Amino acid sequence: MDQKKRVVVLGAGFAGMFAARHLRKLAPRDVEIELINEVNYFIFQPLLPEVAAGNINAADAVSPLRLLLPGVKFRLGSVRSVDFAHNRLQVMDDTARTLVYVPFDHLVLAPGQAADLSRFPGLSEHAYTMKTLADAYRLRNQVINCLEKADVTDDSEYKRRLLTFVVVGAGFSGVETSGAMKDLIDGSLKFYPRIARSEIRMILVEYADRILPELPEELARYTARELTARGIETWLKTALKTASAHAVEMADGRVVETETVAATIGTAPHKLVRDLGLPMQWGRIKVEPTMRVPGHENIWAVGDAALIPLPKRRQDKEERFAAPTAQFAVREAACLARNVVGTLIGRPLEAFDYKPKGSFASIGCHKAVAVLLGVRLSGTFAWLVWRMFYLAMLPGFATKVRVLINWMLDHFFTRTTVQIQVPSRDSARYLRFRKGDQVFKPNNLADGFYTVISGSFDATIGAGTPVPYHRVLGPGDHFGERVLFGDDLRTGSVDALEDSEVLFIERDDFRRFAAGFKILDDYFRDYIVRNFPEHMWPESLRGTEKKAAAGGGQPKAPRM
Ligand SMILES: Cc1cc2nc3c(=O)[nH]c(=O)nc-3n(C[C@H](O)[C@H](O)[C@H](O)COP(=O)(O)OP(=O)(O)OC[C@H]3O[C@@H](n4cnc5c(N)ncnc54)[C@H](O)[C@@H]3O)c2cc1C
């Protein structure tokens, strides 16, 4: 039996990636370090606005985790839940659509935070966020798309909408995002002869009475002046109310017609973190100063997901908790690794403490604001220091060189306005199965809904139980519909009895479609109640559908 101790790190952002790196360096060789992440690369989030601006190619801003972490076992996958009683994680292997269980002796939770825009009607549907590489790339494509369309349209109202850009939230990422978008637009305008500079409107919306709360007021005022000089309007004390396909509405009644709203607000815990049942405060996991989760000897949390208390002497200055920044996350990761290894080898643990050396915000047009070792900097010099600082922080020599080359090219050559669209697979598509192929089996991810076009399938639920459900499905029949009602995992299996074809619709699209089309929703509720015995109904249908079923006759005995 494998007696190796296993430390598993969940998430490979600043906190998780650096924690895994330090753990590998510090832990005895017979301790296995495993890192699980949804993508196989590390993204330096502070560079995302640069990717959106087109200063850096998306692929050059990231580093492969396997290159950064020699000696660490990497697993690509999405963690769905943690079983604290049995010290194991439930991880979804998206390719095989199966769940695997990953055991651990110590678990480091570093999933960062998510963006939740649902408090503002329409914002989740219409806003561009700035959390991932795909987000930055999407925003860049959208800005270029607006310029392309505005250059050729004869509809003046449409053109005005296309050339109006709104950024919600004026913290670091909002200010940097608006500056980056303006850089992209200003650097591209020469290719769009029918767009005058004066036609561009950019608005930065902020609920508070100042921008950049992370920096001293004087630098925030400098930034606001610079933004105004660049044609970016700053609306302070303004609350966003709703967003729609063609406009955003403020709480004070002002409506801005726009095709592009970028949102850098709405930080919220990941669903996974919310469901763990761990102590939470302000959407973060409350931990001890050592980063251990109270009541769990072997569970640790770090980075944006963790609320880490700072030592008492710092608390007078209102720095009660470690800030959710990359700077903190990197230092937390080192301390956490020492503590996890300390626990393994019986060494005393240390409380986390760190005083940030400085803060930077790039505001576009080769300018930045910064506080470095207590010194306030602004303008082009601050921007140069900002670039050097981030270059030094970037992990991986190859990534440093690539980013540097990107910056140099951007300095000497015209910015490219190429839109590389990678069309995603059709959400509704035909799939072929050969005789004997398995479409899915129990515990697979409920990935979507299937309609049989040709051929036949064997559907079984509860194989091996006294009364299994068993049915042969042919053209016109369908299966997988129970995903509509919240069942994430398959309970039955479907196998092709001959060479067959189905029309497949992905789960989320199918759910949205049925939710917006009541007849379809009613049809599936009724179908499930009539065709499956009650113990096979999805949890959300039980009870609520009993009356309906009673009114409409008994559920049919399953056809064999
Ligand atoms: C646009 C922008 C600009 C910023 N600028 C600065 C700056 O200038 N200076 C600064 O100090 N900070 C900055 N920050 C903040 C900084 O990036 C974050 O504080 C830092 O990334 C937090 O690190 P983390 O590891 O806790 O989380 P993250 O970096 O968010 O990493 C979390 C990782 O966990 C993975 N994950 C999540 N859930 C799961 C799951 N269920 N299964 C598997 N993997 C999962 C995610 O894919 C991700 O890789 C900026 C942030 C943004 C968005």
Side-chain angles (χ1 to χ4, degrees):
M1 210 176 110
D2 186 9
Q3 290 301 318
K4 267 187 174 180
K5 288 268 182 222
R6 287 173 48 77
V7 181
V8 175
V9 181
L10 187 176
F14 279 94
M17 195 282 284
F18 280 101
R21 200 181 237 202
H22 288 294
L23 279 163
R24 185 61 290 158
K25 274 192 201 137
L26 300 175
R29 294 315 292 179
D30 62 349
V31 175
E32 187 168 66
I33 313 295
E34 177 165 335
L35 176 68
I36 308 176
N37 199 51
E38 291 162 330
V39 291
N40 78 343
Y41 55 78
F42 169 80
I43 170 79
F44 195 89
Q45 280 186 357
L47 286 185
L48 286 177
E50 296 256 319
V51 174
N55 295 346
I56 303 176
N57 285 325
D60 292 337
V62 295
S63 320
L65 287 165
R66 287 177 187 272
L67 178 78
L68 293 179
L69 298 168
V72 172
K73 179 175 175 186
F74 174 69
R75 184 188 295 269
L76 179 67
S78 175
V79 176
R80 289 172 59 93
S81 64
V82 184
D83 177 353
F84 293 113
H86 298 97
N87 282 342
R88 60 182 194 171
L89 296 167
Q90 206 186 36
V91 183
M92 178 54 73
D93 174 339
D94 291 329
T95 315
R97 295 177 298 154
T98 49
L99 280 178
V100 286
Y101 291 92
V102 177
F104 59 81
D105 294 291
H106 284 266
L107 172 66
V108 178
L109 296 165
Q113 292 213 302
D116 176 14
L117 306 179
S118 59
R119 273 193 307 133
F120 308 93
L123 203 59
S124 321
E125 292 82 357
H126 299 291
Y128 291 82
T129 48
M130 186 56 90
K131 271 301 243 185
T132 65
L133 197 58
D135 288 344
Y137 204 61
R138 238 178 257 135
L139 181 60
R140 177 180 177 276
N141 271 354
Q142 166 66 6
V143 172
I144 294 172
N145 205 28
C146 288
L147 297 179
E148 291 290 349
K149 289 180 177 166
D151 194 56
V152 292
T153 183
D154 292 322
D155 178 338
S156 58
E157 263 184 37
Y158 179 44
K159 186 176 186 184
R160 198 171 330 115
R161 241 180 21 236
L162 286 166
L163 296 179
T164 301
F165 302 89
V166 176
V167 177
V168 186
F172 271 134
S173 47
V175 167
E176 292 190 341
T177 300
S178 57
M181 284 166 74
K182 196 68 176 43
D183 276 356
L184 174 61
I185 295 166
D186 290 348
S188 310
L189 274 186
K190 62 175 162 218
F191 300 113
Y192 300 95
R194 295 185 64 221
I195 304 176
R197 200 166 289 267
S198 57
E199 289 178 286
I200 306 289
R201 186 172 188 206
M202 185 168 291
I203 304 169
L204 181 60
V205 176
E206 170 56 51
Y207 179 71
D209 59 359
R210 57 165 290 191
I211 63 169
L212 290 175
E214 304 90 341
L215 288 179
E217 186 122 26
E218 175 200 326
L219 286 179
R221 275 202 300 272
Y222 168 86
T223 306
R225 279 198 306 275
E226 284 295 324
L227 294 179
T228 309
R230 297 197 60 207
I232 302 175
E233 299 169 39
T234 311
W235 289 9
L236 297 178
K237 296 191 209 161
T238 304
L240 180 92
K241 191 173 163 202
T242 63
S244 60
H246 304 306
V248 282
E249 189 190 351
M250 311 299 155
D252 59 14
R254 279 182 289 181
V255 173
V256 182
E257 298 210 343
T258 178
E259 296 283 308
T260 313
V261 51
T264 59
I265 55 171
T267 301
H270 275 280
K271 185 178 175 305
L272 167 80
V273 171
R274 276 202 318 261
D275 295 347
L276 288 179
L278 297 176
M280 304 276 292
Q281 191 176 339
W282 303 321
R284 300 166 77 188
I285 303 168
K286 268 168 84 172
V287 292
E288 294 164 358
T290 56
M291 286 170 274
R292 202 194 311 244
V293 178
H296 294 265
E297 280 298 293
N298 60 342
I299 309 293
W300 310 77
V302 64
D304 284 9
L307 189 68
I308 307 167
L310 291 173
K312 280 261 179 309
R313 65 188 155 76
R314 303 269 303 280
Q315 295 189 4
D316 311 338
K317 300 171 204 158
E318 290 190 8
E319 293 168 337
R320 292 177 55 211
F321 298 98
T325 66
Q327 248 189 92
F328 267 94
V330 171
R331 272 71 183 195
E332 291 161 15
C335 176
L336 174 122
R338 287 194 293 277
N339 283 345
V340 173
V341 173
T343 311
L344 289 171
I345 63 175
R347 224 177 31 205
L349 309 190
E350 56 184 273
F352 174 70
D353 190 12
Y354 171 65
K355 179 138 187 63
K357 302 284 176 292
S359 299
F360 296 87
S362 159
I363 57 178
C365 202
H366 299 171
K367 288 187 178 165
V369 285
V371 181
L372 192 60
L373 300 170
V375 181
R376 293 170 190 193
L377 305 171
S378 56
T380 307
F381 178 67
W383 176 78
L384 282 171
V385 177
W386 170 82
R387 283 205 155 174
M388 283 185 323
F389 185 77
Y390 280 155
L391 210 54
M393 263 183 85
L394 264 173
F397 181 68
T399 312
K400 284 186 208 290
V401 173
R402 277 203 297 267
V403 167
L404 189 62
I405 292 174
N406 270 265
W407 278 341
M408 279 162 36
L409 290 177
D410 181 60
H411 199 70
F412 293 112
F413 297 105
T414 313
R415 192 161 300 203
T416 174
T417 54
V418 170
Q419 268 182 308
I420 298 179
Q421 309 271 18
V422 187
S424 51
R425 279 189 313 180
D426 289 340
S427 164
R429 54 185 180 270
Y430 294 103
L431 301 177
R432 295 190 66 78
F433 293 93
R434 287 189 327 142
K435 181 179 176 184
D437 281 353
Q438 185 155 60
V439 183
F440 54 70
K441 61 178 193 261
N443 277 336
N444 274 176
L445 179 71
D447 52 352
F449 168 74
Y450 299 75
T451 305
V452 182
I453 302 294
S454 66
S456 59
F457 292 88
D458 177 287
T460 307
I461 306 176
T465 59
V467 196
Y469 168 91
H470 178 208
R471 209 178 149 185
V472 172
L473 306 170
D477 286 332
H478 49 73
F479 54 95
E481 56 280 319
R482 292 186 305 158
V483 297
L484 266 181
F485 301 98
D487 278 12
D488 279 348
L489 296 179
R490 299 289 184 202
T491 49
S493 59
V494 174
D495 298 86
L497 293 171
E498 57 189 298
D499 289 0
S500 308
E501 190 178 33
V502 294
L503 173 65
F504 169 77
I505 305 176
E506 281 183 10
R507 178 179 66 174
D508 291 343
D509 289 302
F510 181 58
R511 278 182 176 165
R512 269 193 288 268
F513 187 48
F517 191 26
K518 192 164 178 315
I519 295 173
L520 203 62
D521 192 63
D522 289 346
Y523 165 77
F524 283 115
R525 278 172 196 277
D526 189 57
Y527 177 85
I528 289 171
V529 169
R530 287 174 187 281
N531 286 277
F532 294 92
E534 186 174 345
H535 71 276
M536 289 181 187
W537 296 356
E539 197 61 48
S540 63
L541 273 190
R542 291 200 200 135
T544 55
E545 293 301 316
K546 264 190 185 152
K547 283 188 209 130
Q554 290 301 307
K556 274 190 216 162
R559 274 194 357 222
M560 301 299 283

